[in-house]
Amino acid sequence: MLVRNTLPGIFAALLLTSAVPAQQPQARIRIDTNRVIGEVSPRLFGNFAEHLGRCIYGGIFEEGSPLSDSDGFRKDVLEAVKPLGVSVLRWPGGNFASGYNWKDGVGPRDQRPARPDLAWGALETNRFGTDEFLRYCERIGAEPYLCINAGLGSVDDARQWVEYANETRPTYWANQRRKNGREQPWNVKIWGLGNEIDGPWQLGHKNAEDYAKFALEAAKAMRRQDASIELIASGSSNFGADADWIGWNRAVLDRLKDQIDYISLHTYIGNRENNFENFLGSNALDIEDRIQVVEGQIKAAQNGQAKPRPIYIAFDEWNTWYRTIHPGDSEFDIGKSGLEEHYNFEDALAAGMFLNAFMRHADVVKMANLAQLVNVIAPIFTNKQALYLQTIYWPLVEYGKQRGNLSLDLQTTSPTYRIGSRPPLGYLDVSGTYSPADRAIYLNVLNRSEKSDIVTRVDAIAGQIGSPAAVWELNNPDLKAVNDFGAEKVRPATRAVALNLENDGFTYTFPKHSLTILKLKAQ
Ligand code: AHR
């Protein structure tokens, strides 16, 4: 039985618990491995490390610590980063990028200048710079993504950074790199044309027209330096009531469509109203809308072009962030906010919601970077002696195993609820992928009903499913449960489940407030 759209969420939830017979399916998922949306880009499992609070200093990098290696990298953090399989690491910001002079961060460490960090009110020692970052990427097996200073910086600073990183000939900046110990070019492919330049909080904030002019000239100069690089335009990040985020993207795409490979989107969410179902529902609707709008804008910009340059979305900052304050908030105390969110169980479910949306749009969302890697709104949290894994760590690890799979266009129906006057949405938020190589189907199912388990019929439309299924489940009786040093309460459970197969399908109950990944055998 399906609870239809017209009831407010609370009544729909009541119907779910009371009126539905125990094993009667309430929801349906149809899997057809021929209905492919696109490849799940490995770049969806990117991350971001900014000079902010204790992300770099005291997180990734802690010189003199007994926990660090000879490069100053925290070895325990390196170990914790590995299972995340970070495919792309973005650096140095973030807001920090818009005041950063990369030349301060190269050369002998003891001779580097200390500077005021005008984005976050800190003192920047510059002991961690370009070569340290690129070495870190090599150590964790991530592609580096450098974000230029499109705020206070210049076009030629950006061009020279490409020269420092990638030039093979004996030019001035390539020779500086050699002098600093790196003979071979670093060969950095991914470059961001600035960070959140649409936000009034940004150093060197510009209007869309001024940004597009700057970015176009930077792209031209950087590409003349190295034609093989990929460029990401700074798209919308400012969704405030007065912000014309659609107009910003339109202007950027119109001017830059022949130069860029990606347009960025940033989204942070929070359960400010302390309403679990609304938190996981309204933000899901927003993310869907934003992806669909930007996809349409890319198409509109390319309309009429004989051979348009492919442009994808890079969701290069995403996460839950609302307990620690934001720049622009009246109580924001620049220099005091380390953005150290302690994530709870429901925040981990939100990570599944984001990843489901990216996978459902795998044809257009080709990069995503969780903000950030360590301590600062991050899955890994350190002190001087140890670290612990935050709740949001676990979905990242598990979804990451689906990189390179084919995202499937599943047909899903589930009981619905409404948030205010917004369109109805299903309690089940689902994505699915298929790996032809090992004939495995993954169903990623978030049950965002706070009160009700949902009995679901799963059918294979093309081919058959085998038994048993491998189940990964993240659940906790306490939505607000947090992890801490020596007390990681929120961890996934795994088990094998024998499926009662009939007519190419089976029934499975997705528990209330849970995130489940079913790994099925396709036969
Ligand atoms: O990730 C924290 C901050 O959020 C970044 O510096 C900025 O780009 C965004 O506003």
Side-chain angles (χ1 to χ4, degrees), residues 201-417:
W201 58 86
Q202 202 67 205
L203 290 163
H205 162 57
K206 298 172 179 51
N207 66 28
E209 190 59 20
D210 289 348
Y211 168 68
K213 276 189 204 156
F214 175 92
L216 192 63
E217 291 311 311
K220 195 201 310 174
M222 292 165 76
R223 276 248 165 71
R224 288 204 187 162
Q225 176 61 51
D226 180 349
S228 72
I229 60 176
E230 297 172 48
L231 295 174
I232 302 173
S234 176
S236 22
S237 65
N238 184 7
F239 300 97
D242 300 335
D244 176 14
W245 68 273
I246 293 181
W248 174 274
N249 285 341
R250 189 184 303 122
V252 168
L253 284 163
D254 279 349
R255 296 291 289 266
L256 292 166
K257 60 176 176 279
D258 296 324
Q259 282 292 344
I260 56 172
D261 304 285
Y262 297 87
I263 180 162
S264 74
L265 257 176
H266 290 182
T267 294
Y268 292 102
I269 63 170
N271 188 2
R272 289 183 185 81
E273 298 163 6
N274 195 17
N275 181 326
F276 174 81
E277 292 183 355
N278 286 6
F279 169 53
L280 295 178
S282 64
N283 287 302
L285 290 170
D286 286 348
I287 293 161
E288 280 292 324
D289 281 353
R290 287 174 196 172
I291 294 173
Q292 286 177 27
V293 167
V294 178
E295 180 179 18
Q297 292 195 289
I298 294 170
K299 287 191 177 134
Q302 294 173 328
N303 185 36
Q305 285 192 297
K307 232 180 141 205
R309 184 185 185 91
I311 300 174
Y312 301 108
I313 294 172
F315 233 105
D316 59 12
E317 287 187 32
W318 67 270
N319 205 346
T320 297
W321 168 24
Y322 67 108
R323 299 171 186 91
T324 55
I325 48 189
H326 294 235
D329 291 349
S330 54
E331 71 276 33
F332 182 75
D333 189 351
I334 179 165
K336 290 208 180 125
S337 177
L339 278 58
E340 297 195 355
E341 294 265 329
H342 294 272
Y343 287 112
N344 63 24
F345 166 60
E346 67 187 14
D347 300 327
L349 300 186
M353 177 202 71
F354 271 107
L355 291 164
N356 278 349
F358 301 157
M359 287 194 173
R360 282 193 301 264
H361 294 279
D363 52 339
V364 63
V365 181
K366 290 288 187 191
M367 188 187 299
N369 304 69
L370 179 93
Q372 300 191 9
L373 190 57
V374 190
N375 292 329
V376 175
I377 46 175
I380 299 167
F381 199 93
T382 69
N383 63 17
K384 288 207 172 297
Q385 295 78 36
L387 63 75
Y388 75 89
L389 305 174
Q390 295 236 47
T391 62
I392 61 168
Y393 181 87
W394 299 108
L396 301 170
V397 172
E398 204 58 25
Y399 276 74
K401 296 176 184 166
Q402 296 174 56
R403 68 190 66 202
N405 287 3
L406 302 173
S407 172
L408 297 179
D409 181 15
L410 303 172
Q411 291 170 278
T412 305
T413 51
S414 69
T416 57
Y417 68 114

Side-chain angles (χ1 to χ4, degrees), residues 48 50 52 94-95 120 195-196 268 317 321 339 372 377:
F48 169 39
E50 177 167 9
L52 197 184
N95 296 340
W120 299 106
N195 175 72
E196 295 190 354
Y268 292 102
E317 287 187 32
W321 168 24
L339 278 58
Q372 300 191 9
I377 46 175

